[in-house]
C-alpha cells in the first residue's frame, strides 16, 4: 500500500457512499479496493477510484440495475439505452395498470360476455419456453417471433397456451395452425370440443382481468375447466393500438356427449 491510498472510511466520505455499500460493490466485483491489508482485511482505495464510485451511486439513484452498471464500467456500449427502453416499457405498463384500476373503480370488475362454442381439432406448429410469472408477456412475445420467423405470416389460428396451475416457472407455448411441418417447431394438435369463450379488448398485459372473469363464469356454472388457457390473437400488434387489440380467451369444458 502507498501513501495515496485512502482507508475505506475516508473514501466513503469522499464519495458520499456508505462503507456497507462499498463492501457490497466489492463483493459484486463492481469496485474492488486498490489494496486489502492481508492481516486485518481492511480495504483501501485510490483517490482516482472516486469517479467510478460516484458513477455507481448516480446510476443506482436512477434505478439502473447493478449488473447493468457492471457492464457500463467495463466499457460496454448501448447498456444504458437498453435500460432506458426497459424503463419506458415498464412505465407504459404501469400507466395501463393505473388506467385499468381507474376503470375497475368506476365500472367494477369486468364481466365480459361468455359464450360456449364448439371448436374443431386443429393441427398446429408449436414453440415452447418457460418463464417466471412476471416474465410471461415478454417470453410469449419471443415465442411468437420465433414461430412466425419459421412459419411466415399466419394464415390460420395463432394462440398462446398457458397452464391453469401457476408455478415458479410457467410453461409457455405458442401454436400456429398449419397444414404441414414447420422447421424448428414441434408438431401438435389443439384438441377440439366445447369451450367457454370471452373476448378481451385491450393490452395483452391486461388479459388476466378477462381471464379471471372467464374462469369465474366457468366455476359459477359448475363446469370443470380443462387447461391450458387458450389466448387466440386476432389483431396484429404492429398495426393495432394497444387499447384495441382483440384476443379471444378460451377454456375447454368437460364434454357431456
Amino acid at each position: 500500500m502507498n501513501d495515496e491510498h485512502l482507508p475505506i472510511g475516508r473514501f466513503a466520505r469522499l464519495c458520499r457512499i456508505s462503507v456497507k455499500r462499498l463492501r457490497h460493490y466489492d463483493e459484486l466485483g463492481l469496485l474492488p479496493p486498490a489494496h486489502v491489508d492481508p492481516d486485518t482485511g481492511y480495504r483501501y482505495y485510490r483517490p482516482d477510484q472516486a469517479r467510478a464510485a460516484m458513477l455507481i451511486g448516480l446510476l443506482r439513484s436512477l434505478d439502473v440495475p447493478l449488473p447493468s452498471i457492471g457492464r457500463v464500467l467495463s466499457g460496454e456500449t448501448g447498456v444504458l439505452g437498453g435500460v432506458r427502453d426497459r424503463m419506458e416499457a415498464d412505465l407504459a405498463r404501469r400507466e395501463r395498470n393505473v388506467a385499468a384500476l381507474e376503470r375497475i373503480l368506476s365500472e367494477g370488475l369486468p364481466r365480459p360476455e361468455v359464450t360456449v362454442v364448439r371448436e374443431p381439432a386443429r393441427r398446429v406448429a408449436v414453440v415452447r419456453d418457460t418463464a417466471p410469472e412476471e416474465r410471461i408477456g415478454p417470453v410469449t412475445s419471443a415465442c411468437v417471433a420465433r414461430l412466425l420467423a419459421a412459419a411466415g405470416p399466419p394464415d390460420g389460428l395463432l394462440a398462446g397456451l398457458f397452464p391453469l396451475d401457476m408455478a415458479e416457472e410457467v410453461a409457455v407455448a405458442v401454436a400456429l395452425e398449419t397444414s404441414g411441418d414447420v422447421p424448428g417447431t414441434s408438431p401438435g394438435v389443439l384438441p377440439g370440443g366445447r369451450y367457454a369463450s370471452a373476448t378481451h379488448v385491450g393490452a395483452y398485459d391486461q388479459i388476466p382481468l378477462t381471464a379471471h372473469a372467464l374462469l369465474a363464469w366457468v366455476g359459477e356454472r359448475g363446469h370443470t375447466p380443462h387447461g391450458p388457457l387458450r389466448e387466440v390473437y386476432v389483431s396484429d400488434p404492429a398495426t393495432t393500438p394497444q387499447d384495441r387489440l382483440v384476443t379471444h380467451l378460451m377454456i375447454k369444458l368437460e364434454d357431456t356427449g
Side-chain angles (χ1 to χ4, degrees):
M1 184 187 71
N2 60 48
D3 293 338
E4 293 184 353
H5 286 164
L6 302 176
I8 190 171
R10 286 181 58 193
F11 186 75
R13 287 192 295 275
L14 173 66
C15 302
R16 300 188 70 188
I17 296 175
S18 71
V19 169
K20 180 179 180 180
R21 195 169 294 277
L22 281 173
R23 290 188 182 122
H24 184 52
Y25 293 162
D26 178 20
E27 292 166 357
L28 295 175
L30 286 177
L31 189 67
H35 174 74
V36 178
D37 188 296
D39 297 321
T40 65
Y42 206 72
R43 297 168 171 86
Y44 295 85
Y45 294 82
R46 297 188 313 273
D48 62 7
Q49 289 182 283
R51 183 177 296 274
M54 287 187 281
L55 175 60
I56 295 171
L58 171 63
L59 294 179
R60 282 302 297 140
S61 73
L62 298 175
D63 291 331
V64 177
L66 286 171
S68 297
I69 293 175
R71 292 162 59 196
V72 171
L73 294 175
S74 69
E76 186 175 336
T77 60
V79 176
L80 294 181
V83 172
R84 177 207 58 209
D85 292 344
R86 289 191 291 275
M87 285 182 173
E88 289 179 344
D90 185 59
L91 178 60
R93 179 185 63 80
R94 289 177 180 273
E95 288 175 344
R96 291 194 299 272
N97 285 347
V98 170
L101 283 173
E102 289 177 346
R103 182 176 175 181
I104 291 172
L105 287 170
S106 62
E107 303 175 12
L109 290 172
R111 291 184 174 272
E113 180 181 356
V114 178
T115 59
V116 176
V117 299
R118 185 163 288 276
E119 278 285 298
R122 301 176 189 267
R123 179 179 178 179
V124 292
V126 184
V127 168
R128 294 182 173 85
D129 205 339
T130 59
E133 186 174 353
E134 68 275 9
R135 291 279 301 163
I136 291 175
V139 170
T140 302
S141 296
C143 286
V144 170
R146 285 166 50 199
L147 183 54
L148 296 184
D155 56 4
L157 175 143
L158 175 65
L161 307 171
F162 307 94
L164 296 181
D165 297 323
M166 302 299 285
E168 288 188 7
E169 287 291 321
V170 177
V172 174
V174 177
L176 176 65
E177 189 173 8
T178 179
S179 58
D181 293 336
V182 177
T185 70
S186 302
V189 175
L190 292 184
R194 293 170 66 246
Y195 285 78
S197 177
T199 299
H200 174 82
V201 180
Y204 292 141
D205 55 17
Q206 299 301 325
I207 283 177
L209 288 173
T210 303
H212 291 157
L214 176 61
L215 288 168
W217 184 95
V218 170
E220 288 166 357
R221 283 154 182 78
H223 294 292
T224 301
H226 296 275
L229 173 69
R230 187 183 299 186
E231 297 180 359
V232 180
Y233 306 118
V234 178
S235 307
D236 181 355
T239 59
T240 307
Q242 290 210 30
D243 61 350
R244 298 183 184 176
L245 293 170
V246 175
T247 308
H248 297 317
L249 304 186
M250 307 179 73
I251 287 285
K252 194 174 190 302
L253 305 176
E254 75 283 1
D255 249 320
T256 56

